[in-house]
Every structure is written in C-alpha cells, then in structure tokens.
Amino acid sequence: MHTFLHASDIGPLDVALAEAAAIKADRYRFEHLGHHRTALLIFFNNSLRTRLSTQKAARNLGLDVVVLDVNQGAWKLETERGVVMDGDKSEHLLEAIPVMASYCDLIGVRTFAGLTDRDADYAENILSQFIRYSGKPVFSMESATAHPLQAFADLITINEHKEKQRPKVVLTWAPHPRALPQAVPNSFAEWMRAADVDLVVTHPEGYELDPLFVGDARVEHDQMKAFEGADFVYAKNWSCPGVTRPEAYGQILSTDRSWTVGEAHMAVTNNAHFMHCLPVRRNMIVTDEVIESPRSLVIPEAANREISATVVLKRMLEAM
Ligand code: AN0
Ligand code: CP
C-alpha cells in the first residue's frame, strides 16, 4: 500500500479486520518491520487522538517517529504554484516536501479542508502534492475530504460490538458553532458502504454528502424516523458539502438544536450504541446523558485508533 486515503486502498475489509484483531491481541508482533525506518507525521492542524495514536502505532512497529507541527516553529509554507512570494510565507511546499521526505521512509499528513474552494478541497490539493513530490508512501491523518484512519477505527469498533451480522448504522448530522469539514462523515459513509452494513444518513436539507463517498446510501431527512431500530448511532457535524447548494460550500446552514442527540432520540433505537470520533462539544452534538451512558463507545472507538494506524503502517512497511 503506497497511499492511504480511501477504503479501497486497504483491500478486502474482512482481511483488514482480522489483521486488526490479531494486532490488538499482540500489538508488538510486527515490531521488526520498522527497524531503522522513520515515520514523519506532519500536522497543518490541531490533533489529540491522531497525534498520539499514530505515534504509538509507529512505535508498536519499531519505527522511529518525527512529528512536525508546520504552524509552530517551521517556516510558513506557500501551497499554490506560481505565486510571487512577497508575503509572509518563507518557503514553498515544492521544496519543503522533498526535503522532509529525505529524512523519512513514510509520511502522514493532517491538512483540513479550507472550506472556501470546493474544487481545491475535493482535489486534495495539499495531500496530492505530498503523494506526487515526496516519492514516499503517504497516508491521510485527516485531509481535506477524508479521515480513513478514523473510519477504519470506527469499523473495528462496530465489528467488536455488533450483535447481528448486518447492523443498522445511522450517520446523523448534529449542530456545532463552527464550520467543520466533511472528511469524517465522508469516510464514515464510504467505509460503511464497503462494509455492507444497513447505512442510513440523516441531516437537514442542504447537507447532502458527495456521492463519491455516500454513493446511493439511504438519506432520511426526518432524524427520528432514521433512528428507529438503529443498532449504532454515529453523530458528527459537518458544513455544507456544496452538492445541492454549491454557493453555500463550507457554510453553516443550520444550528437547530433539536438535532442534538439526546435520550428521546436514543429511545426509538434498538438500544443503540452511541459513537463520535471526538473531539465532541457536549450538549451541542450529544447530551451529557447519552455520551456518559453505558451504550456510548466514544472511548473504545478512540482507543481503536492505535489499532487502525498499526494495521495501515504495517501494510505500508510490508510494501517497501
Ligand atoms: C475536526 C473535523 O470535524 O474534521 C476533526 C475531527 C476529528 N473537528 C474539529 O475541528 C472540531
Ligand atoms: N478523531 C480525531 O482524529 O481526533 P484528533 O483531531 O484529536 O486527532
């Protein structure tokens, strides 16, 4: 595996899930693979879970790890070609990428969507330059349109907790005070479709996700109806994806707090597990009662980020 961005990059999901279970049972089992190799983790944006779990995963595999926070201590990077660099950016990505790549064997990149230029975001403008100019395997640690390490961890968590072969999984939009990317819901929808669960997506009008990720998954605009009989409820805010409302790309279209997941919502489910990728704003996305309930999986889900990252880095090392 040379790049990790989409569910298809990891091949058959049953094989990946079996590998995840084996690694969870013995997470140092492939420690020899990373000997004398270095992973570089580059953060253009904040992170708690990805930063820690990916470092832990790399160490499980015997890798050395270097972490760079681009906006803290590095030169400000220009990302557009053809710009006269007379502003505050001291270095271009076109030099910085091969330089950074010369010190490592594989590269993880976190770079959020700008949420102003849909075409640039959906072309994965920054990640694709790393893929093209680094000459090294590159994996997304949440890039403009996708967060595959999160979706893989979510799938592992659902697989561990499901009580029927084909559970009903509901992806629900929920309100948030700031405009957030679509990367998490995009990848969640993509991976759930690949895993063949009964996926239902619910959101207010205008929040339609890109068909590239959501395919022909069932969309139900009545949130309560969507929740009926659900085995898993996956909450997330996202901004306007610009599919049905191109002029509103990246904007907040609704702040309707009736979409905040509470006990009345969970009461119509099949005693569903609650999931969220974190960080979560309590009593905006989900009430205290629901996130603290015994059916909440937010902590095991975050813990599985170490497992998904270990599988992905292992695959990349094996392909070298
Ligand atoms: C980010 C997002 O919504 O994409 C990261 C989630 C893992 N969340 C925030 O910026 C709050
Ligand atoms: N879920 C997730 O990716 O969290 P961080 O933004 O803290 O890495």
Side-chain angles (χ1 to χ4, degrees):
M1 188 165 57
H2 203 72
T3 59
F4 181 62
L5 184 60
H6 292 292
S8 53
D9 292 329
I10 204 155
L13 290 185
D14 52 345
V15 176
L17 284 169
E19 221 166 291
I23 281 171
K24 198 160 178 172
D26 177 7
R27 54 197 79 197
Y28 299 107
R29 161 178 191 168
F30 300 101
E31 207 175 357
H32 57 284
L33 284 178
H35 185 60
H36 284 181
R37 285 186 166 142
T38 302
L40 174 60
L41 310 182
I42 303 170
F43 290 88
F44 287 82
N45 301 93
N46 294 341
S47 166
L48 186 151
R49 278 144 291 275
T50 305
R51 173 187 302 275
L52 298 181
S53 63
T54 313
Q55 289 188 61
K56 178 64 167 68
R59 298 217 163 92
N60 291 347
L61 295 162
L63 280 157
D64 280 327
V65 194
V66 180
V67 180
L68 177 69
D69 285 292
V70 172
N71 298 319
Q72 283 168 28
W75 301 106
K76 270 201 171 175
L77 293 178
E78 176 58 61
T79 58
E80 298 300 319
R81 196 169 171 280
V83 171
V84 176
M85 288 173 60
D86 61 354
D88 63 340
K89 311 235 173 94
S90 307
E91 178 155 26
H92 203 287
L93 210 50
L94 288 170
E95 282 75 53
I97 290 173
V99 169
M100 293 189 284
S102 72
Y103 309 133
C104 67
D105 301 282
L106 64 169
I107 303 177
V109 184
R110 166 159 288 205
T111 175
F112 287 173
L115 297 179
T116 51
D117 180 344
R118 185 180 203 281
D119 290 343
D121 287 345
Y122 275 75
E124 287 284 0
N125 230 3
I126 293 179
L127 189 78
S128 60
Q129 292 191 61
F130 276 92
I131 292 168
R132 190 158 166 200
Y133 300 116
S134 72
K136 298 283 159 73
V138 173
F139 60 100
S140 167
M141 298 196 296
E142 185 174 340
S143 49
T145 63
H147 196 358
L149 285 171
Q150 181 65 50
F152 185 17
D154 298 333
L155 177 62
I156 294 168
T157 311
I158 289 172
N159 195 49
E160 287 171 342
H161 290 87
K162 69 181 182 187
E163 283 148 29
K164 56 170 81 117
Q165 191 51 38
R166 194 166 189 270
K168 177 174 177 180
V169 177
V170 178
L171 167 62
T172 181
W173 178 93
H176 192 279
R178 291 181 50 227
L180 295 184
Q182 297 109 43
V184 170
N186 280 346
S187 285
F188 186 74
E190 181 190 72
W191 284 69
M192 288 304 113
R193 284 174 52 232
D196 194 33
V197 302
D198 177 16
L199 175 67
V200 178
V201 184
T202 184
H203 53 70
E205 303 264 0
Y207 281 102
E208 288 72 21
L209 292 165
D210 194 299
L212 179 68
F213 295 94
V214 84
D216 58 1
R218 183 147 71 90
V219 177
E220 170 57 67
H221 289 118
D222 181 336
Q223 190 190 26
M224 279 305 212
K225 205 165 155 202
F227 273 45
E228 281 169 17
D231 299 299
F232 294 87
V233 165
Y234 192 95
K236 182 70 183 84
N237 173 267
W238 62 91
S239 61
C240 175
V243 173
T244 53
R245 302 261 316 263
E247 80 295 349
Y249 175 68
Q251 294 176 18
I252 294 173
L253 303 177
S254 170
T255 52
D256 183 354
R257 295 257 299 275
S258 73
W259 283 78
T260 302
V261 178
E263 284 182 320
H265 296 83
M266 299 307 280
V268 304
T269 68
N270 180 30
N271 194 22
H273 289 284
F274 175 81
M275 298 178 73
H276 188 280
C277 63
L278 307 181
V280 73
R281 293 203 184 213
R282 283 174 171 231
N283 303 309
M284 285 295 301
I285 301 286
V286 57
T287 63
D288 290 327
E289 291 72 27
V290 170
I291 198 169
E292 290 171 6
S293 90
R295 301 300 281 172
S296 171
L297 293 178
V298 296
I299 307 303
E301 191 183 346
N304 276 333
R305 290 291 307 275
E306 176 188 343
I307 307 304
S308 66
T310 307
V311 174
V312 167
L313 296 183
K314 167 185 175 279
R315 292 282 189 94
M316 290 191 147
L317 288 168
E318 284 171 340
M320 280 179 188

